[in-house]
Amino acid sequence: MTNKITDIIKASISTKESILKDPVLLGTIDQLATIITAALRNGNRVYFCGNGGSAADAQHLAAEFSGRFYTDRDALPAEALHCNTSYLTAVANDYSYDVVYARLIKGIGLQGDVLIGLSTSGDSANIVKAFEVAREKGIITVGFTGDNGGKMKLLSDHLVNVPSKDTPRIQESHIMLGHIICQLVEEQYFGK
């Protein structure tokens, strides 16, 4: 059992080492912090969406913006789109689960907002449809995916594609990279 635990930890470290060696991905993270900070300064919002564990990660990262990260500061306008269960279940029941995020982005998203979709495969139909609507509305799309980016690759203005095919390693890296972005945005926005 100890060997298996060690192997899992090594796999997680290996994925993060691959990120460290990827100057394009690191540059994207830096660029995203600047883009999100600018959007917030312009009065725009940051929206997050995902499914399953990625929905939990989306909610986690939204809370880092709207709550606090390192410093006591004002809340930043960010939210995870799946938190209204009455909306989510009604739209899924009356229309389709594939449109739950797209309908909400169509209703509340504004040009200049940022939509961050988390999908380890990059192929989640409800996120793909939300990105299509976001593109129509001039909303900045950010895909957090696994190595090849899936269908979201072509719809992402900025792609954070973790170099792995292993779902848990991808999700661990999504949280790490999301935390880095939160920290950088907090520092840039509040001048800390």
Side-chain angles (χ1 to χ4, degrees):
M1 191 67 106
T2 302
N3 287 342
K4 182 149 195 137
I5 294 167
T6 302
D7 289 345
I8 292 168
I9 293 169
K10 285 179 180 176
S12 184
I13 291 168
S14 176
T15 300
K16 291 174 178 78
E17 285 175 341
S18 294
I19 292 169
L20 274 174
K21 294 175 186 169
D22 187 339
V24 173
L25 185 52
L26 296 176
T28 299
I29 298 303
D30 184 38
Q31 193 177 33
L32 283 171
T34 301
I35 289 165
I36 292 169
T37 301
L40 293 169
R41 284 188 176 141
N42 287 333
N44 290 102
R45 298 177 166 272
V46 182
Y47 297 109
F48 292 84
C49 59
N51 297 288
S54 293
D57 292 343
Q59 189 170 341
H60 176 160
L61 293 172
E64 302 291 18
F65 281 96
S66 61
R68 58 165 282 163
F69 194 65
Y70 269 121
T71 61
D72 289 324
R73 39 101 172 151
D74 289 340
L76 294 170
E79 64 181 289
L81 297 177
H82 63 278
C83 291
N84 181 339
T85 55
S86 295
Y87 165 83
L88 193 73
T89 56
V91 171
N93 184 62
D94 295 346
Y95 298 97
S96 161
Y97 189 71
D98 287 355
V99 300
V100 294
Y101 295 137
R103 284 183 62 83
L104 200 50
I105 286 299
K106 188 170 187 176
I108 66 173
L110 299 174
Q111 183 174 358
D113 286 344
V114 178
L115 175 60
I116 300 173
L118 289 83
S119 170
T120 58
S121 68
D123 291 326
S124 299
N126 57 0
I127 299 175
V128 168
K129 289 184 184 309
F131 274 30
E132 291 169 349
V133 170
R135 278 272 176 96
E136 292 169 10
K137 295 189 78 169
I139 295 168
I140 300 162
T141 55
V142 180
F144 271 57
T145 70
D147 66 341
N148 72 12
K151 293 175 185 172
M152 289 169 57
K153 181 177 184 174
L154 297 176
L155 294 167
S156 296
D157 295 315
H158 305 278
L159 185 65
V160 178
N161 54 327
V162 171
S164 176
K165 293 181 182 353
D166 188 354
T167 297
R169 306 299 77 86
I170 296 166
Q171 289 176 327
E172 291 160 4
S173 297
H174 283 173
I175 284 294
M176 177 191 70
L177 295 170
H179 276 165
I180 292 168
I181 292 169
C182 288
Q183 181 175 343
L184 295 176
V185 169
E186 188 175 75
E187 289 171 357
Q188 290 177 25
Y189 189 87
F190 295 100
K192 306 256 179 194

